[in-house]
Amino acid sequence: MAIKITDECINCGACEPECPNNAIYEGGVEWAIADGTSVKGSYTLMDGSTMDADQRNAPISVDTYYIVPNKCTECQGFHEEPQCAAVCPVDCCVPDEMYQETVDELLGKKDKLHV
């Protein structure tokens, strides 16, 4: 599963620098697949649609930090546990039940993001 940030987020920003995929953004900031990854050109998202890796996308949240599910790998292949959850002082980084993924799928996503 991808990780999500709940409404309990206090906007401390501790999670953002810990993400090896640059999947965490401050509220109101646009995101792109290419941010912090080696992806270039067209990228296929989890839902099968495609987008240009450099395309800027609307923020998922305006008020609090957020995690882009298409970039979150739960730190598989990098760390033993999701680093955002490990450093969050209010435990608001939790599994996102909307994105059920196996360890193999998460590792495959990691490989796509870091060619």
Side-chain angles (χ1 to χ4, degrees), residues 3 14-15 18 75 79-91 93:
I3 303 294
C15 57
E18 299 301 321
C75 293
H79 303 286
E80 299 264 331
E81 64 182 339
Q83 295 302 285
C84 57
V87 301
C88 182
V90 293
D91 296 325
C93 296

Side-chain angles (χ1 to χ4, degrees), residues 25-97:
Y25 293 81
E26 186 175 355
V29 174
E30 292 181 340
W31 64 273
I33 293 292
D35 295 340
T37 71
S38 60
V39 179
K40 304 281 185 236
S42 183
Y43 185 82
T44 302
L45 303 173
M46 292 166 23
D47 66 4
S49 63
T50 60
M51 71 166 46
D52 185 274
D54 290 317
Q55 175 183 321
R56 303 309 300 171
N57 299 282
I60 294 172
S61 173
V62 175
D63 299 323
T64 59
Y65 279 80
Y66 65 91
I67 298 174
V68 176
N70 279 285
K71 294 178 73 175
C72 179
T73 62
E74 285 189 45
C75 293
Q76 289 291 327
F78 294 104
H79 303 286
E80 299 264 331
E81 64 182 339
Q83 295 302 285
C84 57
V87 301
C88 182
V90 293
D91 296 325
C92 69
C93 296
V94 299
D96 189 339
E97 61 281 346

